[in-house]
Amino acid sequence: MNVVYEVCCGRFTRPQFFLLLIIILDHGLDSVEGVWPLPQTLTSFTERYPLKPQAFYFDYRRQSAAQHGCSILDAAFKRYFSLTFPDYISAANGVLQITEDRPFIVKISVDRNDCENYPREDSSEKYNLSVSAEKAYLSAETVWGALRGLETFSQLVYQDDFGSYFVNKTEIEDFPRFQFRGILLDTSRHYLPVQTILKTLDAMAYSKFNVFHWHIVDDPSFPYQSCTFPDLSSKGAFHPMTHIYTHSDVRSVISYARLRGIRVLPEFDSPGHTKSWGKGQSNLLTPCYRRGIPSGTFGPVNPALPSTYQFMERLFKEVSSVFPDSYIHLGGDEVDFSCWRSNPYVQAFMQRMGFGADFTKLEAFYIEKIVNMTSLLNKTSIVWQDIFDYSERHRPLSVVEVWKQGCYLCEVRRVVKAGLRVILASPWYLDQPGPTHNWARYYTVWPLAFKGTEEQKKLVIGGEVCMWGEYVDATNLTPRLWPRANAAAERLWSDERQTSSVDKAFPRLQDFRCKLLRRGIQAEPLYVGHCKHEYQGV
Ligand SMILES: *[C@@H]1O[C@H](CO)[C@@H](O)[C@H](O)[C@H]1NC(C)=O
């Protein structure tokens, strides 16, 4: 008997039909997309379990009856339920429905009751995740670790071609390689609406970034609304009402970030990069001189006036209370000395201080005063590498951010040799467009590939992706950032030995990029290919 099967637009003999069936089924099963960034140890099995959104819940197990619920986890359960089951629209609106199915339970336990806290520089993000029949165990030392584990769990769940959900048996032990994994957004060169910042925080959590470095003010505009000095934004912002961040905006960014285990690190860059500050604060910037008379233009903050330090003290006092993070970024980069040099009062100050004609000494003097000011406010300060390069005694400095191109590892080595901590940004300047800015370039970065002791290498606390704002606003931020920033995310989280191959990482990153699209993040394509759920253009 010659049975012929009709499938769609073709007729097939029995062997052909079964071959086709295998291809279809196989395709349906091949979509266990890996986890990005790759966990430290991951063992996955071919045993798979079906998941039904209507028979699934997260169960937070309190350590003691006295312990209250955890608002961070409650909020996370809601988010991760939708992320785990992206096309599930619950008729009962999130309420567990009565079904015949035995529920799949994700049991979460956290050692420390730190639910009310703000993430700290040394917070543990370690977690263990074990997925087996009908249940998963997620255990962590802190609630921040639990958040990382929930993210991983959501990435383990996949759908077959018929839309059914599955998760394979899996064992994971995971922790970050570096404690500081940041993204810098620049809200001075272009104003970024609060919604855009929040969306970026969402995407950051998807690849386990944990620091939002908010380069909030700079030369072009001063959008931070200060209560102490309201003129700074009313005169220095692009628009005094629409292009500012009020205290309530800032608070909502901080609380949104905190719920995702992300710290918000504010940067108030000085003495350079401060043109916009001068609009709302007279006598702050240095008047530049030409042929002995003021030319009408202004340079960096004037380091020769006591009033400058009184102003900075009051501003940083406010900023320190608005931003709860233990770190503050003081900038200190790219100071143009020509205006200082032209000003006779600054020159006289130089003579009095015995700085000769060395303006790097003047800048070091200025920054030392600001650093001391902020350390009295219990903040650890970060400065751009320029300050380190200028200071002979690095005494008040603690964290240096290396940003210059060229031999950046040489610089990293110099900084750690001086016993200071380093954040590496040089290889991750993502604001430039163009085909040469291939993701692999951000992936093949080896932050510890310099000669140094174990102790010195520990001083490299992490790295940061910088998205400067000259050519970036809310229209193109997301595709310019993702998925290229994800390359840096994996470099900063995962074991280098397991993630050294670009070829191996590529399909996993392509899958992850599709996952980002599914989650509403308009990540740009890496190369030729397709996603099961394409971006629909709305
Ligand atoms: C998950 O299970 C399926 C079906 O048993 C198998 O085809 C697939 O390779 C497994 N995935 C992983 C990552 O082990």
Side-chain angles (χ1 to χ4, degrees):
M1 190 173 77
N2 200 0
V3 188
V4 175
Y5 297 81
E6 253 190 73
V7 180
C8 181
C9 38
R11 282 160 180 241
F12 302 91
T13 61
R14 184 184 274 258
Q16 283 172 333
F17 172 75
F18 282 105
L19 189 65
L20 195 71
L21 198 64
I22 286 165
I23 290 169
I24 291 170
L25 286 178
D26 196 43
H27 187 73
L29 294 177
D30 77 354
S31 51
V32 178
E33 299 143 10
V35 178
W36 191 282
L38 191 71
Q40 299 285 339
T41 65
L42 177 148
T43 318
S44 58
F45 302 84
T46 50
E47 210 174 317
R48 63 170 196 170
Y49 314 113
L51 295 182
K52 297 234 166 67
Q54 58 274 31
F56 175 95
Y57 61 95
F58 295 106
D59 181 25
Y60 170 46
R61 297 193 294 172
R62 291 169 187 80
Q63 296 296 318
S64 70
Q67 211 170 307
H68 295 297
C70 178
S71 53
I72 295 179
L73 289 179
D74 288 343
F77 295 160
K78 285 201 183 126
R79 288 199 308 280
Y80 280 109
F81 183 84
S82 321
L83 293 171
T84 306
F85 304 109
D87 57 12
Y88 178 67
I89 298 153
S90 163
N93 225 342
V95 178
L96 193 65
Q97 292 163 29
I98 298 160
T99 69
E100 301 285 286
D101 302 301
R102 297 183 56 147
F104 189 99
I105 308 172
V106 181
K107 297 187 174 181
I108 290 106
S109 70
V110 178
D111 294 345
R112 233 170 290 151
N113 183 15
D114 52 359
C115 245
E116 300 311 313
N117 297 353
Y118 178 85
R120 294 158 40 108
E121 51 170 313
D122 58 354
S123 293
S124 159
E125 292 171 284
K126 216 165 127 69
Y127 66 90
N128 288 346
L129 177 63
S130 159
V131 181
S132 55
E134 290 173 7
K135 59 188 173 298
Y137 287 108
L138 168 59
S139 63
E141 289 171 1
T142 68
V143 66
W144 319 116
L147 292 176
R148 305 296 170 244
L150 287 170
E151 177 56 47
T152 298
F153 179 81
S154 76
Q155 294 188 24
L156 290 174
V157 175
Y158 60 98
Q159 282 177 287
D160 65 9
D161 281 348
F162 310 102
S164 306
Y165 294 98
F166 294 93
V167 65
N168 284 31
K169 183 177 167 64
T170 310
E171 297 290 335
I172 289 176
E173 283 174 26
D174 202 9
F175 53 88
R177 179 181 180 206
F178 293 106
Q179 65 176 209
F180 187 109
R181 305 178 307 280
I183 296 232
L184 174 150
L185 295 185
D186 170 3
T187 57
S188 172
R189 293 183 173 88
H190 282 97
Y191 179 80
L192 295 173
V194 172
Q195 276 310 321
T196 304
I197 296 176
L198 302 186
K199 185 134 194 168
T200 304
L201 291 168
D202 276 328
M204 284 172 67
Y206 301 156
S207 55
K208 302 188 172 81
F209 278 104
N210 68 348
V211 181
F212 165 38
H213 175 170
W214 196 348
H215 187 88
I216 190 164
V217 297
D218 202 299
D219 283 326
S221 78
F222 196 106
Y224 171 77
Q225 188 180 50
S226 160
C227 295
T228 323
F229 302 104
D231 280 352
L232 288 173
S233 63
S234 68
K235 298 189 175 150
F238 287 133
H239 186 283
M241 303 301 286
T242 55
H243 286 53
I244 58 167
Y245 302 105
T246 63
H247 276 200
S248 121
D249 290 335
V250 170
R251 266 199 304 275
S252 58
V253 168
I254 293 169
S255 83
Y256 199 89
R258 171 182 164 270
L259 286 177
R260 287 153 184 78
I262 298 172
R263 300 160 47 198
V264 179
L265 164 68
E267 177 179 356
F268 284 79
D269 189 354
S270 75
H273 289 282
T274 47
K275 282 201 167 51
S276 68
W277 303 41
K279 296 188 178 152
Q281 184 67 18
S282 50
N283 295 324
L284 179 65
L285 303 185
T286 310
C288 313
Y289 279 64
R290 247 170 82 188
R291 300 195 197 94
I293 51 163
S295 68
T297 61
F298 294 88
V301 162
N302 192 337
L305 296 179
S307 59
T308 292
Y309 301 100
Q310 285 151 14
F311 164 81
M312 289 294 178
E313 205 159 342
R314 293 179 65 197
L315 180 69
F316 279 112
K317 196 165 175 203
E318 175 186 319
V319 167
S320 297
S321 72
V322 171
F323 292 89
D325 202 78
S326 59
Y327 280 29
I328 189 162
H329 204 304
L330 301 177
D333 57 321
E334 299 182 310
V335 179
D336 176 5
F337 296 141
S338 59
C339 184
W340 281 352
R341 195 176 289 125
S342 76
N343 183 302
Y345 297 93
V346 173
Q347 284 169 12
F349 183 76
M350 295 275 289
Q351 291 313 312
R352 264 210 313 286
M353 299 302 294
F355 295 157
D358 186 354
F359 285 88
T360 65
K361 288 212 171 92
L362 180 59
E363 183 178 357
F365 164 85
Y366 168 84
I367 286 285
E368 186 166 336
K369 288 193 80 127
I370 306 292
V371 167
N372 289 339
M373 211 177 268
T374 50
S375 63
L376 286 176
L377 296 162
N378 282 326
K379 300 285 180 181
T380 301
S381 48
I382 306 180
V383 291
W384 295 108
Q385 74 178 81
D386 312 43
I387 299 297
F388 173 84
D389 298 346
Y390 292 158
S391 313
E392 286 149 24
R393 323 166 291 139
H394 303 117
R395 216 168 15 85
L397 302 182
S398 40
V399 186
V400 175
E401 182 158 5
V402 171
W403 67 277
K404 292 191 180 170
Q405 310 301 307
C407 183
Y408 54 79
L409 287 182
C410 307
E411 180 75 5
V412 167
R413 186 155 175 248
R414 278 193 289 276
V415 177
V416 298
K417 270 182 134 175
L420 305 180
R421 282 170 280 169
V422 173
I423 296 164
L424 180 61
S426 313
W428 292 304
Y429 268 43
L430 258 63
D431 50 302
Q432 305 294 326
T436 55
H437 279 247
N438 183 299
W439 72 276
R441 164 173 163 175
Y442 305 114
Y443 195 70
T444 49
V445 171
W446 321 113
L448 300 183
F450 60 88
K451 267 205 198 104
T453 63
E454 279 307 300
E455 285 307 301
Q456 287 171 347
K457 297 201 174 180
K458 282 204 190 102
L459 290 170
V460 180
I461 60 173
E464 187 166 272
V465 165
C466 293
M467 186 54 77
W468 297 104
E470 281 87 347
Y471 305 100
V472 177
D473 70 4
T475 63
N476 60 352
L477 172 70
T478 303
R480 198 164 285 190
L481 199 48
W482 314 106
R484 296 184 304 158
N486 299 125
E490 181 149 291
R491 184 55 56 236
L492 293 168
W493 179 282
S494 308
D495 184 334
E496 193 174 277
R497 287 160 301 181
Q498 296 176 45
T499 54
S500 54
S501 157
V502 166
D503 292 344
K504 269 200 198 148
F506 182 63
R508 199 161 38 85
L509 185 56
Q510 271 203 321
D511 280 337
F512 184 70
R513 184 242 163 193
C514 293
K515 209 166 279 166
L516 290 178
L517 288 191
R518 195 91 198 272
R519 293 178 174 193
I521 306 296
Q522 285 178 47
E524 68 178 13
L526 290 161
Y527 191 57
V528 178
H530 83 288
C531 293
K532 217 188 245 178
H533 303 268
E534 295 289 356
Y535 171 59
Q536 295 298 314
V538 278

